[in-house]
Amino acid sequence: MGIGRSWTAEEESYLEDKWGTISIKGIAKSLNRSENAVIVRSQRMGLGSFLSSGDYITWNQLQIALGMGLSGSGYKMISWVQNRDFPLHTKRIRNNSFKVVFLDEFWIWAEKNKAFLDFSRFEPYALGEEPAWVQEKRRQDYSDRLQIKNAPWTSHEDEKLIRLVRKQRYGFRELSQMMKRTEGAIQRRLTDLGIKDRPVKADNHTNWTNEEFSLLGQMIIAGKKYEQMAEVIGKSVKAIRGRVYQMYITENLDKIREMIGSGPWGSGRPERKIKQYLLMNLEEKAQTKELMTRLAAIIRNQYKQNFDDCDYWQKDLCQHWEGFCMASETDCDSCVNFQRIRLQYCKRCGKEFLERKENLYCKDCRAARKKQYLKKLAVLDR
């Protein structure tokens, strides 16, 4: 296959473009050359191993570079790839396939999901050149790592937590500062330990000011975490989460940052559904009430036409109704001859249908058979 044939510029361009994207066997078939010829030419062109070209790295190499290790890969496939649309690709070299990540795509995804990532264990420039925002993100994560513990709870910490909670003096925010744990971690730990006592409830009746809402929006855009917002605004994480959810119907800061864009707090606010009535503003509640009132009026009108002041309220379900009661009953309330319309099966399509009159075919099949008959009749009349 093409032995001794010189390589053209178009063939080399195709080889460089497809190297690592499809199998060597596929490239050889497309170029009408042997697999060995393709391998030799790639080496002479300096393509080398595609996985070490610097344009992308393997999925495992990325996890190691981020300081996450290879444990919990199944969780990452769900949390990263399925839930957050991580740009993971599969590349083939000969008979082997690899999960790889293009670095340009990773940095775009990482910026959209930076609240989800922890760069405190990610060494600078481990993946080459970094975007400008990475340095600030790494600094924030280092600060959080020093202030908030992620290690497993010790028995000493458990005893201290139980003792502080039973004093009934501290709320979640104060306990978080004393235990160096997040408010969510404290709540989960109390549940795991089976402790029925709970921290003192915070005063949720304090109104938020416009300045606090404006600051909250700015901190979300800046990629701050809930714990950092609570420290600056002076409210509990739970209170901030509640306000965020009330506005954007989600607590995912990366999704919220995408909704806000570069606008102020409240920008990109999603439309509410009826089941989210309590999260609506006064104007939305008024519009919803008006629509529900109209719907209720339509339903009442339909009910009145079919059932109100009607002795035969279940006539539409009864086998004995043909514009009048064929069982000679005076009303449905005292009827003893009610018989539900019998279920029938279409001989042509097998579909179930409900009709009082017995038929071999459903309504659609009867119409189709009639149309087919008319076509045959038209042919015979020619």
Side-chain angles (χ1 to χ4, degrees):
M1 288 174 36
I3 297 177
R5 183 159 50 93
S6 300
W7 284 72
T8 64
E10 291 77 13
E11 289 177 324
E12 290 182 345
S13 177
Y14 178 87
L15 175 61
E16 184 177 8
D17 182 57
K18 300 299 182 182
W19 182 250
T21 305
I22 60 177
S23 65
I24 294 177
K25 185 177 182 179
I27 297 175
K29 186 176 181 180
S30 299
L31 295 177
N32 192 27
R33 292 182 179 275
S34 66
E35 294 182 30
N36 287 334
V38 171
I39 295 172
V40 170
R41 195 62 187 178
S42 68
Q43 293 174 349
R44 291 180 178 177
M45 291 175 62
L47 300 181
S49 173
F50 193 84
L51 295 175
S52 60
S53 66
D55 294 330
Y56 54 82
I57 60 175
T58 66
W59 171 239
N60 290 342
Q61 288 172 340
L62 176 66
Q63 296 179 67
I64 295 172
L66 294 177
M68 303 173 63
L70 301 181
S71 59
S73 295
Y75 159 78
K76 296 186 187 77
M77 292 298 293
I78 296 175
S79 180
W80 290 42
V81 180
Q82 294 183 20
N83 297 343
R84 292 179 172 83
D85 297 324
F86 184 82
L88 188 63
H89 303 274
T90 300
K91 297 297 179 183
R92 295 190 59 191
I93 294 182
R94 296 197 177 184
N95 296 326
N96 299 320
S97 61
F98 302 86
K99 289 184 175 64
V100 298
V101 181
F102 288 91
L103 296 180
D104 292 342
E105 293 181 352
F106 166 73
W107 288 121
I108 295 174
W109 177 87
E111 186 173 9
K112 293 181 179 179
N113 296 271
K114 57 184 178 182
F116 171 70
L117 298 173
D118 179 8
F119 280 10
S120 63
R121 293 181 174 84
F122 176 31
E123 294 184 8
Y125 307 107
L127 298 180
E129 187 178 356
E130 298 176 349
W133 58 266
V134 176
Q135 184 176 0
E136 175 61 21
K137 168 64 175 172
R138 184 179 285 111
R139 188 191 65 77
Q140 292 178 6
D141 290 342
Y142 268 124
S143 177
D144 293 343
R145 187 177 172 185
L146 294 175
Q147 296 178 9
I148 303 297
K149 296 180 181 178
N150 292 320
W153 287 73
T154 64
S155 58
H156 175 71
E157 287 179 310
D158 289 340
E159 293 174 0
K160 181 180 179 181
L161 176 62
I162 295 172
R163 185 175 66 255
L164 292 174
V165 170
R166 287 180 174 169
K167 287 183 178 181
Q168 288 296 293
R169 296 179 184 174
Y170 312 108
F172 277 108
R173 187 180 172 209
E174 291 81 7
L175 289 174
S176 175
Q177 294 172 347
M178 289 187 286
M179 300 296 300
K180 303 298 183 182
R181 299 275 185 175
T182 64
E183 295 181 25
I186 292 174
Q187 185 173 3
R188 287 193 300 270
R189 192 57 180 173
L190 290 173
T191 302
D192 293 341
L193 295 174
I195 305 301
K196 296 182 179 180
D197 297 311
R198 285 295 181 268
V200 177
K201 288 186 177 181
D203 183 9
N204 296 324
H205 300 289
T206 304
N207 293 328
W208 284 61
T209 64
N210 293 332
E211 290 75 14
E212 288 174 333
F213 280 125
S214 176
L215 180 59
L216 178 59
Q218 294 173 10
M219 297 181 75
I220 291 176
I221 295 174
K224 304 292 185 180
K225 296 182 178 180
Y226 281 113
E227 289 74 16
Q228 295 171 323
M229 299 178 196
E231 191 69 26
V232 175
I233 298 177
K235 296 184 180 292
S236 68
V237 171
K238 192 173 183 179
I240 295 176
R241 283 180 178 271
R243 286 295 183 177
V244 168
Y245 184 85
Q246 185 179 15
M247 177 61 72
Y248 290 100
I249 321 180
T250 180
E251 295 181 6
N252 188 317
L253 293 174
D254 292 316
K255 291 182 179 179
I256 297 167
R257 186 167 56 252
E258 188 174 353
M259 294 180 195
I260 294 179
S262 57
W265 167 259
S267 300
R269 180 175 180 267
E271 184 178 353
R272 267 58 173 161
K273 299 180 181 178
I274 293 178
K275 65 180 181 180
Q276 296 158 340
Y277 179 81
L278 295 177
L279 302 179
M280 297 179 181
N281 56 35
L282 295 178
E283 182 180 355
E284 290 173 331
K285 287 182 178 180
Q287 293 175 353
T288 302
K289 284 182 178 179
E290 182 181 356
L291 292 175
M292 294 299 293
T293 303
R294 292 181 182 180
L295 177 61
I298 293 172
I299 294 174
R300 281 196 302 268
N301 184 53
Q302 292 292 325
Y303 179 85
K304 185 174 182 179
Q305 291 179 6
N306 290 278
F307 302 109
D308 198 20
D309 299 328
C310 177
D311 293 329
Y312 300 101
W313 53 270
Q314 60 181 8
K315 57 183 172 37
D316 295 327
L317 304 176
C318 185
Q319 184 72 34
H320 298 306
W321 182 265
E322 284 291 347
F324 62 94
C325 182
M326 296 188 296
S328 301
E329 296 285 352
T330 57
D331 59 79
C332 290
D333 286 325
S334 59
C335 178
V336 294
N337 292 305
F338 173 77
Q339 183 181 358
R340 185 177 290 275
I341 300 174
R342 290 186 292 270
L343 183 66
Q344 300 185 60
Y345 299 90
C346 180
K347 185 177 178 181
R348 184 170 182 262
C349 68
K351 184 173 64 175
E352 299 177 350
F353 65 98
L354 293 171
E355 288 184 6
R356 291 187 176 89
K357 185 178 179 181
E358 187 173 353
N359 283 296
L360 295 177
Y361 307 100
C362 65
K363 182 179 179 181
D364 294 336
C365 288
R366 291 199 300 271
R369 282 168 58 84
K370 182 178 180 180
K371 186 176 181 181
Q372 186 179 18
Y373 167 75
L374 293 175
K375 285 183 178 179
K376 289 183 178 180
L377 191 61
V379 172
L380 293 174
D381 288 342
R382 288 179 180 177

